[in-house]
Amino acid sequence: MATIEGPLSKWTNVMKGWQYRWFVLDENTGLLSYYTSKEKMMRGSRRGCVRLKGAIIGIDDEDDSTFTITVDQKTFHFQARDAEERERWIGGLEEAILRHTQPLSKQRESKHIPSTAEFDSKVAETDAYLQLLIDQTKALDEKIEQCDDPAAREKYSVIKVAAETMIESIKQSIVLLQMSKQQIADQAMVENGPLTPPLQAAAGSIASTTELPPIGPMPNSMATSNGIDVPPHNTTTSHSLPASSGGLEENGISPAVDALLEEEGGDMEQDGSVGAQSHMMSAYSNSDMHVPPRVMPMTSYSSSEDEEFYDAEELERSATEDEPPKAEPVQVIASKDDYFDELYDEVDQEDLGSLEGQGSIVTHLLSQVRIGMDLTKIVLPTFILERRSLLEMFADFFAHPDLFVGIVDFKDPKERMIQVVRWYLSAFHAGRRSDIAKKPYNPIIGETFQCFWDIPNMEPSDEVSDSGPVPWVHKNNLAFIAEQVSHHPPISAFYAEHSGKRISLDGYIWTKSKFLGLSIGVYMIGQAVISVLDHDEEYVLTFPTGYGRSILTVPWIELGGKVGVQCAKTGYYANIEFKTKPFYGGKKHQVAAAIFAPNDKKPICTIDGEWNGVMWAQYNTGRSEKFVDTKSMPIIKKKVKPRTEQGEFESRRLWQDVTKHLKEKNVDKATEFKRKLEQRQREEAKERLEKGLKWETKHFHEQGEHWLHHRPLLKRLQETVTRKSRQNSPEGDSEYDSAS
């Protein structure tokens, strides 16, 4: 499709709102032009344009109708009527951007650029067929006059009308092609003087970028592709048309086209003047054909610059609320006997400058993907990686383990639900270790991560929970284990429990990444189930979507989407919404939650604030309180075994070479070791496929659409009760002994 046109709304800063505009996308010129109305477009009164060469399209996944175009250090915001219309525009825009952003060498490889001789030959051939069509139409007219059958006369007349319409279209096309060729010659004449051979070549280069033929000397003779010899024509006027089979007039224009010129205006001079060309453009202003601008604009522009776009550089300099939030020092509590891992526990200050210096690499990566593309199989540059595995990042959900285990301390189901929500809203901020959003390692299949936490103000226990998920952990510790259970799709399962408090969490997340232009969306598909055994309650919760914003400069993270927490037994539930920042006003990192009692339409508690800052609660009793303050709450440091004592597939040992070289800023070496791990995974998968083997997970199994831990706390307690029951029964005792 060469041209797309239609209405869109465009954001303006002065009015602080959307304004209707009529847009025309010309893929040949790589311009998105806009007008205040369709009528203004027909008259050629353009309001502004967006030059698409090097442009980047962005969408907001929380909104199915808006999109942005960032180019020439400006960001334009648009709104379609619905998702289907947005997809239509984005599809056309992506084609135009790819076509005009591609290096010229690649364009030449992928698409033949016609020479002057080829262009003139094609025009001559077209003119020859035009004259044949005119002759056949005249013959048809004579046949109609001689036909006595009214029905046959009507059929012939229909054919004649169609032929005459085609003739007019061909005439217009020939004239417009020659006009476009002359426009390039005129422009080159104005800028550089008379065309010398080198300038003729340069004009040819200009023509190739606008899908027009190069300028060159007219050949003395040429032949059409069907073998029709075309006599030599006048070379004194560079815009002369080649002859048709019907011969040439003295001025070098065929009779068919000459007739058209007389119809459209006898005062149209044949010297290629701007006035003549403007007259011809005006003659076709009411047709469906969009004539490309005579000169390609050097940059995107608007007739009212201040109100038509956001200036990306100005926003970055002046709007401090749009900058990544500066991380304040967070208190981390660690035990005296805690093992310190210099590769993973030490958080370095990120170098913003070095990250911005990788912009060309990111831009190259973006040229390989399309809006909405799944990034699961896309290899991202190593320099954007965070120095830890995704499995370890999931462990940070429990950075405040006292809030989690504290759920069981409340006697009232309402208070337990409130505490579940309190822990949930505190669970996301610790996963971000710096101001910059970076991507953790994609775990390889079979990879595991194990750790545990001491609980503040809880007496330590000497009793080891040897049957639990982490065998060396004591009963008064919160234990955590995660495993990558699937590679395609990438699914991580994780389990946490505090056996002393008789509470556990069983969860899984399928991470699905999606390219959104200037952002990347990471969908966390899955759920977690909190089991409070003493009350026989289960709380089912889901996860928000993560967004990496501003990926061309300094990326930052935000969360978005609606999630929920439900307890089927008590009927209490909570609706939570993580709000993404709108481009026109609003704040970052906002979250709002409402907790409901069974069968109630009004919430018993509402919460709002920043999920990585302070959140406030308002109760239906009129009481209010600071609900969570992530700025002042200390993070409890997780405890991990030294890498030398870990298994081969435990995260920190598995990725230690990649982490070491990233820490030393040796990206090439880090990439080398990363590729080795990925290649080993591919080879093992290929071997399993050839042998017909299925991957066997270590700690989790699939049950329906969910992933569950093999031996959760409830199952182990039930086994203990059954075993003791058998031991206390004489009949059961003998059966137990024989079974042993």
Side-chain angles (χ1 to χ4, degrees), residues 184-218:
I184 295 175
D186 291 344
Q187 183 66 23
M189 180 75 74
V190 170
E191 295 178 358
N192 305 307
L195 286 179
T196 61
L199 290 179
Q200 289 176 343
S205 175
I206 294 171
S208 69
T209 63
T210 56
E211 302 300 315
L212 295 175
I215 301 298
M218 301 291 282

Side-chain angles (χ1 to χ4, degrees), residues 518-734:
L518 295 178
S519 305
I520 293 177
V522 181
Y523 303 89
M524 294 192 283
I525 304 168
Q527 68 174 33
V529 179
I530 300 174
S531 299
V532 183
L533 303 188
D534 289 341
H535 298 283
D536 192 26
E537 292 173 353
E538 288 188 342
Y539 297 83
V540 181
L541 52 92
T542 52
F543 303 98
T545 298
Y547 295 98
R549 304 297 194 191
S550 304
I551 58 178
L552 285 182
T553 54
V554 181
W556 54 279
I557 193 75
E558 73 170 340
L559 301 179
K562 296 179 180 180
V563 299
V565 180
Q566 293 183 327
C567 180
K569 180 180 178 181
T570 66
Y572 282 90
Y573 67 97
N575 295 330
I576 303 171
E577 181 180 5
F578 291 85
K579 301 178 180 180
T580 57
K581 182 186 181 301
F583 69 85
Y584 47 94
K587 296 181 179 180
K588 286 183 177 180
H589 311 308
Q590 297 299 297
V591 65
I595 303 174
F596 296 85
N599 304 318
D600 279 0
K601 294 183 179 180
K602 292 185 177 181
I604 59 173
C605 176
T606 58
I607 303 122
D608 57 48
E610 298 177 347
W611 57 264
N612 60 352
V614 180
M615 289 159 269
W616 295 86
Q618 181 73 41
Y619 296 90
N620 59 354
T621 60
R623 181 173 67 92
S624 62
E625 67 169 343
K626 185 184 290 185
F627 196 66
V628 177
D629 184 357
T630 65
K631 300 294 186 183
S632 62
M633 293 165 50
I635 290 176
I636 310 302
K637 186 176 180 294
K638 57 182 174 285
K639 294 188 175 183
V640 186
K641 267 191 173 183
R643 280 176 281 122
T644 54
E645 300 177 21
Q646 292 181 11
E648 180 185 3
F649 280 86
E650 288 194 60
S651 296
R652 289 192 172 184
R653 179 178 172 185
L654 183 71
W655 292 96
Q656 62 183 350
D657 291 322
V658 179
T659 305
K660 174 179 179 293
H661 291 294
L662 279 179
K663 184 176 176 64
E664 296 171 351
K665 302 188 185 305
N666 190 339
V667 176
D668 292 338
K669 271 290 185 183
T671 302
E672 177 187 337
F673 282 102
K674 177 173 174 286
R675 286 175 178 166
K676 285 182 180 179
L677 288 176
E678 293 166 344
Q679 183 60 30
R680 183 175 74 173
Q681 180 175 226
R682 284 190 287 268
E683 291 172 354
E684 291 173 350
K686 182 180 178 182
E687 183 180 355
R688 288 194 301 271
L689 183 63
E690 291 173 349
K691 295 181 179 180
L693 301 176
K694 185 180 178 181
W695 174 258
E696 297 292 336
T697 57
K698 303 181 182 76
H699 307 286
F700 296 84
H701 63 276
E702 193 173 10
Q703 184 171 309
E705 298 179 349
H706 308 295
W707 286 86
L708 304 175
H709 190 255
H710 286 332
R711 301 191 69 235
L713 179 59
L714 177 61
K715 182 177 181 180
R716 299 199 316 274
L717 291 176
Q718 290 173 340
E719 290 174 352
T720 301
V721 170
T722 302
R723 185 168 59 251
K724 288 182 178 180
S725 176
R726 287 177 175 174
Q727 290 174 343
N728 294 333
S729 168
E731 183 178 349
D733 190 43
S734 60

Side-chain angles (χ1 to χ4, degrees), residues 145-411:
E145 291 294 329
Q146 299 169 3
C147 183
D148 297 329
D149 183 359
R153 285 172 62 92
E154 185 176 350
K155 290 181 180 178
Y156 291 146
S157 297
V158 172
I159 297 173
K160 179 187 174 186
V161 171
E164 288 175 342
T165 303
M166 183 181 294
I167 288 170
E168 293 305 310
S169 297
I170 296 172
K171 288 179 182 180
Q172 294 174 4
S173 299
I174 292 174
V175 173
L176 289 173
L177 283 170
Q178 292 289 13
M179 284 173 52
S180 300
K181 178 179 176 181
Q182 184 60 34
Q183 287 168 3
I184 295 175
D186 291 344
Q187 183 66 23
M189 180 75 74
V190 170
E191 295 178 358
N192 305 307
L195 286 179
T196 61
L199 290 179
Q200 289 176 343
S205 175
I206 294 171
S208 69
T209 63
T210 56
E211 302 300 315
L212 295 175
I215 301 298
M218 301 291 282
N220 293 328
S221 65
M222 61 185 74
T224 61
S225 61
N226 63 357
I228 299 175
D229 290 326
V230 181
H233 57 80
N234 188 357
T235 61
T236 59
T237 52
S238 62
H239 74 279
S240 301
L241 289 174
S244 71
S245 59
L248 278 172
E249 299 297 320
E250 290 183 2
N251 60 9
I253 300 180
S254 68
V257 177
D258 190 46
L260 176 64
L261 296 178
E262 290 179 2
E263 289 177 13
E264 298 297 342
D267 61 339
M268 185 170 188
E269 300 177 5
Q270 296 175 11
D271 61 355
S273 68
V274 174
Q277 294 163 359
S278 300
H279 183 89
M280 179 58 78
M281 288 184 182
S282 154
Y284 299 122
S285 64
N286 291 325
S287 72
D288 291 333
M289 186 177 299
H290 298 289
V291 182
R294 190 158 59 90
V295 181
M296 174 67 70
M298 296 301 293
T299 184
S300 305
Y301 75 90
S302 168
S303 59
S304 53
E305 288 283 312
D306 290 338
E307 68 179 58
E308 292 296 331
F309 59 83
Y310 277 104
D311 189 310
E313 281 195 341
E314 280 298 317
L315 281 181
E316 192 171 352
R317 288 193 300 266
S318 61
T320 55
E321 67 273 12
D322 282 344
E323 296 174 358
K326 300 299 181 183
E328 298 179 9
V330 177
Q331 182 185 1
V332 179
I333 296 181
S335 305
K336 292 181 180 179
D337 58 347
D338 187 28
Y339 169 75
F340 179 80
D341 190 324
E342 69 280 358
L343 284 186
Y344 292 94
D345 291 330
E346 185 177 37
V347 181
D348 297 337
Q349 182 65 35
E350 299 288 355
D351 183 359
L352 303 185
S354 64
L355 189 66
E356 290 179 304
Q358 306 289 348
S360 60
I361 301 177
V362 179
T363 303
H364 173 73
L365 173 69
L366 299 186
S367 68
Q368 313 302 312
V369 295
R370 305 289 292 270
I371 292 290
M373 181 181 288
D374 184 355
L375 298 180
T376 303
K377 298 182 181 180
I378 301 296
V379 179
L380 298 176
T382 306
F383 72 85
I384 69 170
L385 294 178
E386 185 176 339
R387 297 198 308 268
R388 58 175 179 161
S389 170
L390 180 65
L391 297 184
E392 180 169 352
M393 195 179 84
F394 287 147
D396 288 332
F397 285 153
F398 300 92
H400 304 291
D402 49 332
L403 294 184
F404 178 74
V405 301
I407 295 170
V408 304
D409 296 333
F410 294 92
K411 305 303 180 184

Side-chain angles (χ1 to χ4, degrees), residues 23-37:
F23 284 82
V24 176
L25 167 62
D26 190 333
E27 291 190 14
N28 290 328
T29 61
L31 284 180
L32 178 65
S33 301
Y34 54 94
Y35 309 79
T36 55
S37 66

Side-chain angles (χ1 to χ4, degrees), residues 444-448 483-486 649-650 681 695 698:
I444 69 171
I445 192 167
E447 178 183 337
T448 61
E483 178 183 357
Q484 190 69 11
V485 295
S486 172
F649 280 86
E650 288 194 60
Q681 180 175 226
W695 174 258
K698 303 181 182 76

